Structure formats: structure tokens, C-alpha cells
Amino acid sequence: MNYNKYILAFICISVFLSLCLLPSYICHAQSAKIDSLQKVLLTAKEDTNKVNALNALSEQLWKKGNYDTALIYANNALALANSLSFGEGRGEAGWKKGIAKAYNNIGIIYQEQGNYPEALKEHFASLKLKEELLEQAKRSGNPAALRESKQGIAASHNNIGLIYYEQGNYPEALKEYFASLKLREEIAYKQGIAMSHNNIGIIYKEQGNYPEALKEYFAALKLREEIGDKQGIAYSHNNIGDIYMEQGNYHQALKEHFASLKIRE
């Protein structure tokens, strides 16, 4: 009898639970943020600050799984952002940054609800606006705006990739993940680069391409170690362990899963 398999199964379950269960202090922090944002909205003027607050509240709510309420606030943010005027002489209708964020929130909510066609529609709408903001940033020569726009576009490509992944459309998912990776590399956003490598690794694993999956997972691990992302490091060790387990290399799998569990203790 191969006891390594039983030990490994136990370790995998332990790591999975430790990675999935949110600490109580995180849940408390989310509730505190929601309360704070709701208070802000009570006295907020009809301007960009209120759009930001509505979008932020929507995000906190969907993170807690309150999708219906989150959708209401996202739609309120969208309506207000569309009503604002910008540009020279205030002739340009709509605050693109706020609209793009609202579309992004709505897209995530639909994705979590399993409504993938509507989720893609919202994310592509968000992406289009972010690309317009990037062109504006290029014309203005503002480095901060340029970086923010690229980061936003990269996030949209990542979100679209996640939906394609959940639909089992791996070629399109890879296309979106690589587009996201390219932009994140351009702005040297290490946390995002690590996320992209991780997501690409997941696709390769699903396709049974274990050597390439390991390559991507180790690239993610290296970056996460450089920036001190403990939770990310734990995820990376877990993912690497999963690949070794699929390959029948139970000794290395145990080593990686124990490393992941130790970080989470």
C-alpha cells in the first residue's frame, strides 16, 4: 500500500481549506469598509467622489457575495458617471474612468452568477473605455496616468481570460492572459506579472502540459518571493505540488504542499 498517496490527500485537503477560508479579521475589515462607504454616501455630492464611493461599495459587496446589492450600487455608479460632463468646456459626456470601473464591477458580478455572455459584454465595454483613456494618457504624456491605464487594461484582459477559462475556452483564455502579462511587464507590476504567470500555468495544467505549467508556476513563485507575498507564495507551492501529484512524483508533491501549509499556519 502506498501511504504517500493517503498522506498527500490529507495534506491537499488541509492546504485547500487553509487557502479558501477567510480569516475573521478580513471579514470584519470588509464589513467596516462597507459601513464607512455607506456613511460617505449619505452626504456625498453628485460628483466623481460619489461615483468612486459607489463603485468601491459595489466591490466590497461582491467580494462578500452580496451580488444583488452590489449590482444596484454598480448601476448607480454607472448612471451617475454617465451623467457627468468632462473635457474642455465640459462638452464631453460621461466620466470614462468611473464608467469603466462600473462596467468592470458589473462584469465580475455577472461572472460570479454564471452569466458569462453578459459578463463578457461588460468587461469588453470596460476594456474599450480603458483603451480610450490610455490614448488620452499618451497624448498628455502623464506617466502616472499611462501606468494606471495599462494596469487597468491588463486587469480587463485578465478578467476576460478568467471567463474564457471557466467556459473551457483555453485558447482564448491564454490569448487574454498573455495580453495581460505583456502590459504588466511593461509597467513592471510584479504582483500582476506573478498572477498572469499563475493563470497561464493553470491553463497549461488543464491542457495536460505539465512542463509548461511548472515553468509558469515557478515564475510566479519567484516573483512572489521577491515581493514578500506570503499568501501568493502559499498558492504557488500548492499549485506546484498539484502538478507533481499529477505526474506521480509524490515525494516532491508532499514537499510543496507541506511548504504551502507551513506558510498558512
Side-chain angles (χ1 to χ4, degrees), residues 9-252:
F10 173 76
I11 295 298
C12 287
I13 292 169
S14 299
V15 172
F16 175 78
L17 291 174
S18 68
L19 291 172
C20 291
L21 294 176
L22 279 176
S24 59
Y25 68 84
I26 293 180
C27 296
H28 177 74
Q30 286 179 337
S31 297
K33 285 181 181 178
I34 290 171
D35 291 341
S36 176
L37 287 165
Q38 287 174 331
K39 288 178 182 177
V40 168
L41 289 173
L42 292 175
T43 57
K45 297 179 180 179
E46 302 293 296
D47 57 15
T48 58
N49 290 325
K50 185 172 183 179
V51 174
N52 286 335
L54 288 165
N55 273 324
L57 182 53
S58 175
E59 181 176 349
Q60 291 301 318
L61 287 165
W62 62 249
K63 283 181 177 178
K64 290 193 69 175
N66 297 340
Y67 302 127
D68 292 341
T69 309
L71 186 60
I72 291 171
Y73 282 110
N75 279 318
N76 287 343
L78 180 62
L80 178 56
N82 271 313
S83 73
L84 301 176
S85 298
F86 282 83
E88 293 184 10
R90 296 297 202 186
E92 183 179 333
W95 184 41
K96 288 183 180 179
K97 184 177 177 181
I99 297 169
K101 177 63 177 176
Y103 281 141
N104 184 76
N105 279 335
I106 295 169
I108 291 173
I109 293 164
Y110 283 140
Q111 178 187 351
E112 292 295 327
Q113 293 176 326
N115 189 344
Y116 298 133
E118 286 301 314
L120 283 173
K121 177 183 173 183
E122 298 296 328
H123 281 307
F124 276 116
S126 181
L127 176 60
K128 182 176 183 294
L129 287 173
K130 290 173 181 178
E131 288 173 338
E132 292 175 8
L133 289 169
L134 176 60
E135 292 305 311
Q136 290 179 10
K138 287 178 179 178
R139 290 194 296 270
S140 69
N142 185 333
L146 191 63
R147 178 182 176 83
E148 182 182 4
S149 294
K150 287 188 176 183
Q151 190 167 326
I153 293 170
S156 285
H157 281 299
N158 186 74
N159 289 337
I160 293 166
L162 284 171
I163 295 171
Y164 285 137
Y165 163 69
E166 290 181 10
Q167 291 180 314
N169 189 344
Y170 300 142
E172 286 300 314
L174 276 177
K175 178 182 173 182
E176 296 297 328
Y177 287 154
F178 275 116
S180 181
L181 175 61
K182 181 176 182 294
L183 286 164
R184 286 167 170 173
E185 288 177 334
E186 287 178 8
I187 59 175
Y189 177 36
K190 287 189 176 183
Q191 185 176 10
I193 296 169
M195 181 189 297
S196 292
H197 280 302
N198 184 79
N199 288 343
I200 292 167
I202 290 171
I203 299 297
Y204 285 140
K205 179 194 173 188
E206 292 294 331
Q207 293 177 324
N209 190 345
Y210 299 140
E212 286 300 313
L214 278 176
K215 178 183 173 183
E216 296 296 329
Y217 286 154
F218 275 115
L221 175 60
K222 182 176 182 293
L223 287 164
R224 286 166 170 171
E225 287 175 337
E226 288 177 7
I227 62 177
D229 178 6
K230 288 188 176 182
Q231 186 176 37
I233 294 168
Y235 275 114
S236 289
H237 280 299
N238 184 67
N239 290 340
I240 292 166
D242 286 346
I243 297 296
Y244 284 137
M245 185 167 63
E246 292 290 340
Q247 293 177 320
N249 188 343
Y250 301 123
H251 175 74
Q252 284 298 119

Side-chain angles (χ1 to χ4, degrees), residues 7-8 10-11 15 237 251-265:
I7 296 170
L8 187 56
F10 173 76
I11 295 298
V15 172
H237 280 299
H251 175 74
Q252 284 298 119
L254 277 170
K255 180 180 175 182
E256 294 296 330
H257 284 303
F258 270 123
S260 180
L261 190 59
K262 184 177 180 181
I263 293 168
R264 295 292 295 177
E265 286 178 346

